[in-house]
Amino acid sequence: MIVIRTPYAGGARRTGCLGVLLLPFALAHRIFRPGRPDRITDPWIEVAQMARTAIGVAATLWLLYAYPLQGSVAGFVQDKALEMVLSAAILLIAGPTALAVFVLSARRPVRVVYCRRALGPLAGFGAMFGTSAVLWFLVMGGAVRLTAVLGGLQVVGLLVSTAGVLFGVPFAITAVVLCVHYCFRLGDVSEILPPVLSPALVWSLFAFEVFDAPPVIVPAVVRGLFLLGPPLSVTCLSVWELRLLRVRYGITVRQALGRSHACAAS
């Protein structure tokens, strides 16, 4: 009997064989969801983020209903999956860069704190790199080479490769969704980082989508609205979140870097 602690289980839950199937999802939640106990989470921010996501999903469904697809439904789903993977790839570059710039820009007392808090995001970056490398190795013929090297233990190599793919694929899919949603747990370092980094991510995606063929045959005005809607809404939400952090909790970029007058005086 396997005991798995999941963030949505409310404690230890004995799930038996089902626990094995849930293991990659539970592990991804544990690695990629923010976990700092004293992290400030405003309920209004979470409600606004969920509302924006729901509106985006509803708008996409309306678009599919109102206008014909350029290709097949499978191609549309594949494009959306590639968009999510591209978001994660951008974060893999922008995340460590933003984290390094932020930590190095902070004054020494808070810099030490941020270095300690950065272990969670760094674990996420490492897990994403490691999973991508293992899956790439197995898919690109590594499984065949592994069974060839093992010789008489080819069955073992085949079982290990199959288990790696069956575990790695759902883990990677869940990890991509969570790391994009939570900005690779950068909120564990400072609450100021996700709203600062999110607009950069969505505007980078906007630059790619402008030169990409639209998946749906739509008028130019509708295409423009759907191109500008996500980056503008995320930017407005980030500005509002930064203002809420400043007004309600006294968290600003200068305060987070330890460069405000209060921090300098202390």
Side-chain angles (χ1 to χ4, degrees), residues 30 32 58 69 76-77 88 112 115 123 127 136 138 143 146 152 154 164 191 195 218 222 232 234 244 259 263:
R30 187 176 184 85
F32 292 98
L69 288 171
F76 177 81
V77 174
V112 175
C115 288
W136 181 85
L138 294 176
L146 180 62
Q154 290 183 358
E191 290 82 359
V218 296
V222 176
L232 286 177
V234 169
L244 207 61
R259 297 181 179 276
C263 294

Side-chain angles (χ1 to χ4, degrees), residues 19-102:
V20 178
L21 300 177
L22 294 178
L23 186 59
F25 304 101
L27 184 59
H29 273 81
R30 187 176 184 85
I31 293 176
F32 292 98
R33 288 190 64 176
R36 178 162 60 91
D38 59 341
R39 185 175 65 94
I40 294 175
T41 56
D42 192 285
W44 286 108
I45 294 175
E46 296 180 352
V47 169
Q49 290 173 342
M50 289 188 292
R52 182 203 163 273
T53 301
I55 293 172
V57 172
T60 302
L61 293 177
W62 173 82
L63 190 70
L64 294 176
Y65 173 79
Y67 297 98
L69 288 171
Q70 292 274 21
S72 62
V73 176
F76 177 81
V77 174
Q78 184 178 7
D79 287 342
K80 289 300 178 182
L82 289 176
E83 182 180 311
M84 187 66 69
V85 173
L86 180 60
S87 302
I90 294 174
L91 274 175
L92 276 174
I93 300 173
T97 303
L99 182 60
V101 171
F102 180 80

Side-chain angles (χ1 to χ4, degrees), residues 4 20 26 38 43 71 74 77 79 85 97 117-118 128-129 173 183 218 226 242 247 266:
I4 296 180
V20 178
D38 59 341
V77 174
D79 287 342
V85 173
T97 303
R117 291 179 180 177
M128 182 61 75
F129 272 119
I173 293 174
C183 283
V218 296
F226 274 82
L242 289 172
V247 172
S266 60

